[in-house]
Amino acid sequence: MTMNDIRGFTKTSTADDVLAGIDLAGKRAVVTGAASGIGVETARALARAGAEVTIAVRNTVKGREVADDIAASVPGTSPAVRVAELHLDDIASVDAFVAAWSGPLHILVNNAGIMDTPLAYTSAGWESQLATNHLGHFALATGLHDALVEAGSARVVSVASSGHGSSPFHFEDPFFVRRDYTPNLGYGQSKTANVLFAVEAQRRWGGEGVTANALMPGGIWTGLQKHWDPELLATLKRDAVDLVKTTEQGASTSVLLATAPELEGYGGRYFEDNREARVVPEIYDVVYGVLPWAVDPEAAARLWDVSTALVDAERVRLGLVAAR
């Protein structure tokens, strides 16, 4: 079974279209990176549908501006939109966010990310794209596991990318210590990790009422492309119009995975344009399809174990927990 047609939603559907008729009153959601791009529209749509939304952001000043804008854009009663500081490349920050959370969590959208950045390392020695895009979100989701289970029927949404097609996960050298680094390889590996996370989260947590899926939001011009060559970016903006979505359209698949009744218990998959993607030997039409290495259950289980070991070791290094 695949989910190729959910209520007729398509590439041009918006987040509000997906949520039409859905009441999220009493539901609590966390959206990371919701100070810009599709994160803003994901949080806005969830709030409009009645959810209590926490936007987890690096820049809380910008986050409060976004929260105020969301509140102003919703007619009637102001939605509950909270702002919390979160630095995904710093496990101490992730753990502080988790420690401050209490009660159930119905929706976790792992949306934040960086893209095609020059080679950089965190204080833990982790390559920055893998640290931010995967390891920080892994620590966040596993830290919030009990809150997700408490919700009774929770969704975890992992925002990935067709960029996963540029690289599998390199278990032998994930941080580019021995192999040459290029920005797209670092990004691709981190996006493959995002999909593998959803595969294994579903296997581990599905029986506890947690549904986890990954997605490609589509081609959307946001701040993610700030490291691209300006001439290339200008050319693409001129010539690739048919591939591009608005941020409201780009947020739709995230919101679909977070709320669609049809997807209850249906997880460990990769979606695009509000439908399940085909497993293909290579990305086609620039942005479509999911490669076998991103949905390989053996790689997913191995990555979970590797990620757990890395995060646990970093907690010991920071003195957050005692060494065993």
Side-chain angles (χ1 to χ4, degrees), residues 134-154:
H134 167 63
L135 288 167
H137 278 130
F138 176 83
L140 179 67
T142 53
L144 291 170
H145 166 261
D146 290 350
L148 293 163
V149 173
E150 183 182 347
S153 178

Side-chain angles (χ1 to χ4, degrees), residues 9-15 17-18 37-38 41 159-162 215-223 225 236-237 240-256 270-277 285-288:
F9 298 129
T10 66
K11 171 183 176 179
T12 59
S13 300
T14 67
D17 292 336
V18 170
I38 66 171
E41 300 311 322
V159 179
S161 169
S162 61
L215 72 128
M216 161 60 170
I220 303 131
W221 300 125
T222 67
Q225 295 88 19
L236 289 172
K237 286 185 175 182
V241 176
D242 290 342
L243 290 174
V244 177
K245 295 182 179 183
T246 66
T247 50
E248 293 85 355
Q249 292 168 338
S252 65
T253 308
S254 294
V255 169
L256 181 88
Y270 176 92
F271 284 71
E272 60 196 14
D273 289 353
N274 295 300
R275 60 182 174 82
E276 188 175 342
D285 293 342
V286 184
V287 295
Y288 292 110

Side-chain angles (χ1 to χ4, degrees), residues 86-111:
L86 177 66
H87 299 262
L88 288 162
D89 56 357
D90 178 357
I91 294 302
S93 175
V94 175
D95 284 1
F97 181 95
V98 169
W101 186 269
S102 62
L105 174 61
H106 302 83
I107 298 168
L108 172 60
V109 184
N110 291 331
N111 167 84

Side-chain angles (χ1 to χ4, degrees), residues 220-307:
I220 303 131
W221 300 125
T222 67
L224 276 180
Q225 295 88 19
K226 65 183 178 181
H227 295 289
W228 287 15
D229 176 78
E231 291 186 8
L232 172 63
L233 187 56
T235 299
L236 289 172
K237 286 185 175 182
R238 184 186 68 239
D239 298 339
V241 176
D242 290 342
L243 290 174
V244 177
K245 295 182 179 183
T246 66
T247 50
E248 293 85 355
Q249 292 168 338
S252 65
T253 308
S254 294
V255 169
L256 181 88
L257 298 185
T259 64
E262 296 89 341
L263 295 175
E264 185 68 30
Y266 188 82
R269 314 300 177 102
Y270 176 92
F271 284 71
E272 60 196 14
D273 289 353
N274 295 300
R275 60 182 174 82
E276 188 175 342
R278 291 192 291 119
V279 179
V280 295
E282 61 181 16
I283 300 299
Y284 66 96
D285 293 342
V286 184
V287 295
Y288 292 110
V290 61
L291 271 66
W293 64 48
V295 289
D296 176 7
E298 292 185 4
R302 184 181 180 188
L303 178 60
W304 192 284
D305 290 341
V306 167
S307 301

Side-chain angles (χ1 to χ4, degrees), residues 159-221:
V159 179
S161 169
S162 61
H164 79 269
S166 68
S167 178
F169 193 88
H170 286 265
F171 289 97
E172 75 286 355
D173 187 21
F175 301 134
F176 295 90
V177 175
R178 295 182 297 278
R179 59 193 174 111
D180 291 338
Y181 175 85
T182 61
N184 72 305
L185 288 180
Y187 182 68
Q189 175 178 248
S190 73
K191 294 291 105 177
T192 290
N194 289 156
V195 187
L196 291 172
F197 165 77
V199 171
E200 183 64 6
Q202 181 64 34
R203 187 187 74 82
R204 288 175 178 254
W205 299 347
E208 299 176 294
V210 179
T211 301
N213 282 296
L215 72 128
M216 161 60 170
I220 303 131
W221 300 125

